Amino acid sequence: MSLLRTLFFYIVFFPATIFFSLVAVIGRNQASSHWCERNWGRVVVWLCASTDRVDLSALDENQTYVFMVNHQSFYDIPLLFKHLAPWKFKFVAKKQLFDFPVFGHAMTAAKHISIDRENRRQAMRDIQNAIDTADNGNSPLIFPEGTRNPAPEKDGLMEFKTGGMVLAIKCQKPIAPVVMYGVNKVCRKHSLWMNPFQEIKIKALPPIDISGYKVRDRNKLKEQLAEVMGAAYAELKDE
């Protein structure tokens, strides 16, 4: 049954991804992009048939946040598009992802935030783009670990990067920590092989007010965020 579902996933996934990406590119407006992202996420989650236990009760749908989410696999992306649909959020992602054919063009059309890690001057412009995004009511979404965690079951969360903290402080919006558990069971790092029928847990933690933080406090914020998200991850694991 699982193998048949996996094969069915691939039969539908690639045409659906191309369709929604092309609609986003052709539409080139935020309404069509949000529609494509939300519905692509729903389709992919339906194809994977994961059982999602989601608690976002700590968040206000009318508030703009800087989302901070732990990162385990490619499957994080459709899950977030589906379950964070009430917020028009924008991924903060490395520049190379925007170079992918079709999908990368759709990310550009949707105005997700590219970060050039190899060009400091461009990176500063990218941070300003994130600030402008937040000021316009769109919530930047950051993976503070910086990359997908290859062994979350064994190691818990990886060390957070200070770059995400700097961006969050400059945006001056509340941080909304969101912890996900079990996503790596669906799809592991460096793999597109999908394992259906897995249980996923997603929990939003109380927002963190950063109005009193300055850039010089980035390490303090990193440690605070890592502590609360790490504790929540351990709780989800033990449930």
Side-chain angles (χ1 to χ4, degrees), residues 15 45 49 67 76-77 93 108 114-115 125 134 142 153 160-161 177 228:
V45 172
F67 285 103
D76 294 339
I77 297 172
T108 300
S114 168
I115 296 291
R125 289 194 288 265
I142 299 169
E153 290 285 348
F160 288 2
K161 306 296 184 182
V228 297

Side-chain angles (χ1 to χ4, degrees), residues 102-237:
V102 185
F103 187 79
H105 296 146
M107 291 183 67
T108 300
K111 299 188 183 303
H112 291 283
I113 302 163
S114 168
I115 296 291
D116 190 340
R117 299 173 179 174
E118 299 177 0
N119 185 327
R120 183 176 177 82
R121 183 174 296 178
Q122 180 60 46
M124 296 304 295
R125 289 194 288 265
D126 294 335
I127 289 175
Q128 184 58 52
N129 181 27
I131 296 170
D132 295 340
T133 295
D135 288 342
N136 290 328
N138 295 298
S139 297
L141 189 151
I142 299 169
F143 294 119
E145 295 164 295
T147 187
R148 289 168 292 175
N149 189 337
E153 290 285 348
K154 176 184 176 183
D155 302 329
L157 304 186
M158 296 191 299
E159 183 177 357
F160 288 2
K161 306 296 184 182
T162 56
M165 307 304 120
V166 171
L167 190 151
I169 291 170
K170 285 183 172 292
C171 285
Q172 282 297 296
K173 301 294 182 183
I175 290 178
V178 176
V179 179
M180 301 200 293
Y181 177 81
V183 187
N184 63 305
K185 297 176 184 177
V186 177
C187 178
R188 297 185 180 277
K189 184 176 181 178
H190 301 312
S191 174
L192 280 178
W193 183 258
M194 309 301 285
N195 299 300
F197 309 117
Q198 303 297 322
E199 182 183 60
I200 306 296
K201 302 174 189 176
I202 302 174
K203 184 174 183 178
L205 309 181
I208 299 173
D209 180 10
I210 62 165
S211 57
Y213 284 87
K214 305 297 183 183
V215 172
R216 64 176 177 268
D217 302 317
R218 57 189 179 274
N219 285 316
K220 176 183 175 183
L221 178 60
K222 180 182 77 168
E223 292 169 3
Q224 178 185 357
L225 187 65
E227 182 178 355
V228 297
M229 291 183 66
Y233 183 86
E235 288 180 5
L236 292 180
K237 183 178 179 179

Side-chain angles (χ1 to χ4, degrees), residues 66-108:
V66 174
F67 285 103
M68 292 282 189
V69 188
N70 62 305
H71 197 12
Q72 297 184 11
S73 84
F74 160 80
Y75 192 50
D76 294 339
I77 297 172
L79 282 170
L80 292 168
F81 276 141
K82 177 183 177 180
H83 295 299
L84 295 185
W87 297 270
K88 293 181 179 179
F89 68 88
K90 302 298 178 183
F91 282 110
V92 178
K94 60 184 180 181
K95 176 180 177 292
Q96 290 81 352
L97 292 179
F98 291 77
D99 297 331
F100 278 95
V102 185
F103 187 79
H105 296 146
M107 291 183 67
T108 300

Side-chain angles (χ1 to χ4, degrees), residues 13 16-17 19-21 23-24 29-47 52 56 61 75-91 103 106-107 110 112 138:
F13 170 76
T17 299
F19 169 76
F20 285 116
S21 296
V23 171
N29 63 72
Q30 294 307 288
S32 65
S33 293
H34 187 57
W35 180 87
C36 290
E37 292 166 348
R38 182 175 66 249
N39 286 287
W40 177 78
R42 288 173 175 169
V43 168
V44 176
V45 172
W46 173 74
L47 288 171
D52 302 342
L56 303 177
E61 292 186 5
Y75 192 50
D76 294 339
I77 297 172
L79 282 170
L80 292 168
F81 276 141
K82 177 183 177 180
H83 295 299
L84 295 185
W87 297 270
K88 293 181 179 179
F89 68 88
K90 302 298 178 183
F91 282 110
F103 187 79
M107 291 183 67
H112 291 283
N138 295 298

